[in-house]
Amino acid sequence: MSNTTYNRGLFPKTRMRRNRKSPSLRGLVQESNLSTSSLIQPLFVMEGNKKSEPVDTMPGINRLSPDLILEEAKILSSLGISALAIFPAIEKSKKSLFCEEAHNPKGLIQQTIKLVKKYVPDLMLITDVALDPYTVHGHDGVLDQNGFIDNDETNKILTKQALSHAEAGADIVGPSDMMDGRILNLREAFEKNQFENTGIMAYSAKFASNYYGPFRSAIGTSQSSADIDKSSYQMDFHNSDEALHECALDLKEGADILLIKPGMPYLDIISKVKETFRVPTFAYQVSGEYSMHCLAIERKIFDKDAIIMESLTAFKRAGADAILTYFAKEAAQIIQKPGNSQYR
Ligand code: PBG
């Protein structure tokens, strides 16, 4: 705290409640604000036509076939949402040891990107660069003879995968795999192939977290986070200096945006990263955080609109510029609801 704060008058010269007297006064002194344009909606895509399948572990979330992703994209765009983050649920028969499907130009994700960019070009598309939907074991990379994730071999496949996303028209790729050196690999490949304007949102500080469990069942990699241990590549949740180190490396390698994940239990990391680097910093309110909130809302422990807005505004206060959240659509609707001027 700076001296200016201490030098202010004591009670009764200073009464903190004076600035809290009315909604409009509170509006004037409000320091952070959640706007629809900073929301990114993650969506799960699956094969088929007119198919929608509920994700058991995530109330209200469905896997959608590409045509329905397009319909949803139109709605989200008209609500003012800036971007989608799309994740594929890949059929078992297309999974393999070396993930050929990950860079198939006619693959599920590649086709979905083309379709959405054709009809909703202004909506930014962020893709997931990682192999977990495509490996038989659900890890984010390929295994060496000892069963260890092979960093450099994985990077080669990730680079092909990212190029196939860029070719299909992705605006930003999001490497969520946590291999070393992958940002450099991707950036060099993009420069070489005339994709110099394709962005990289690096999942720089991605912690090995139990909060990913519902996502893993959504994309069909496992039933719970206990089934699969990613701690040889994702970060140890005891650490924060290491998160800054990861971010520094990704920036040097050519990242445009840093992402911190999970979100709410990691607000300290978001805050430090923003303070340290002063670059675009995004947060991911992950599947477990979403489902936790939904269950408490269902049990009427929380008021839905109020808790969604509080949980998301906390990210802005911590310093996040944009937020990936499964509540994006609902938050946009809450912000726009007549009578909800306190949220605008
Ligand atoms: C994996 C990936 C994960 C998430 C996004 N990409 C899970 C994992 O690392 O196992 C989690 C997102 C969420 O929980 O909402 N590449």
Side-chain angles (χ1 to χ4, degrees), residues 209-274:
S209 172
N210 296 291
Y211 289 97
Y212 306 148
F215 173 96
R216 291 183 189 165
S217 67
I219 65 162
T221 53
S222 70
Q223 278 312 307
S224 83
S225 48
D227 293 350
I228 185 165
D229 179 9
K230 299 193 175 187
S231 39
S232 84
Y233 44 106
Q234 298 180 348
M235 273 189 59
D236 180 343
F237 60 71
H238 298 86
N239 300 349
S240 87
D241 286 345
E242 189 187 353
L244 297 179
H245 194 172
E246 283 279 8
C247 290
L249 291 172
D250 285 354
L251 282 174
K252 283 215 173 106
E253 290 180 27
D256 303 287
I257 296 164
L258 303 176
L259 181 93
I260 313 303
K261 175 183 179 193
M264 212 152 94
Y266 295 82
L267 292 176
D268 56 324
I269 308 289
I270 297 169
S271 172
K272 279 187 191 161
V273 165
K274 188 62 176 177

Side-chain angles (χ1 to χ4, degrees), residues 87 128 130 132 140 176-177 203 206 211-212 215-216 230 234 261 284-288 326:
F87 297 93
D128 191 47
D132 52 320
D140 289 33
S176 69
D177 53 283
Y203 284 67
K206 175 170 177 179
Y211 289 97
Y212 306 148
F215 173 96
R216 291 183 189 165
K230 299 193 175 187
Q234 298 180 348
K261 175 183 179 193
Y284 198 149
Q285 184 183 51
V286 299
S287 56
Y326 300 94

